Amino acid sequence: MTKLDTVAEGLVDQFFAQGQSATAQAKRWADAGELDRLTVSQLRLWAANRVLDAPAWPTGSGAARATALKERDVLIGWLEAHGYRALA
């Protein structure tokens, strides 16, 4: 497992921890490490929203936005590398 895998999987875990933990998709991720297409679409939107919300983070808007952008790119790259596609 690479550092990028760790970052991406941590972001997926964070997504489920923030209000999605009781869903069937969260159980599927926890049990089998699998994501369905709807969840992939939701993850992509969630990652994009994190970039938009970054200026409100206490760490400062510039650094927070740069971090959120990097994490979004890692997550999307990881999803695509593992064959996960969003809904069209």
Side-chain angles (χ1 to χ4, degrees):
M1 179 178 284
T2 68
K3 183 176 187 235
L4 296 179
D5 290 332
T6 303
V7 170
E9 290 179 10
L11 289 168
V12 174
D13 291 339
Q14 184 180 348
F15 167 77
F16 283 121
Q18 294 179 343
Q20 299 284 332
S21 60
T23 64
Q25 292 86 359
K27 182 169 176 26
R28 184 176 175 187
W29 169 251
D31 293 348
E34 296 176 355
L35 300 168
D36 61 24
R37 289 180 63 186
L38 177 59
T39 304
V40 171
S41 296
Q42 291 171 328
L43 278 164
R44 292 174 70 103
L45 288 171
W46 174 78
N49 283 333
R50 288 179 79 240
V51 173
L52 295 174
D53 290 342
W57 293 0
T59 56
S61 62
R65 187 168 191 281
T67 299
L69 280 167
K70 183 177 179 184
E71 289 175 344
R72 181 203 62 192
D73 293 344
V74 166
L75 178 61
I76 290 172
W78 181 86
L79 289 168
E80 291 175 355
H82 286 81
Y84 291 119
R85 300 286 182 246
L87 295 172

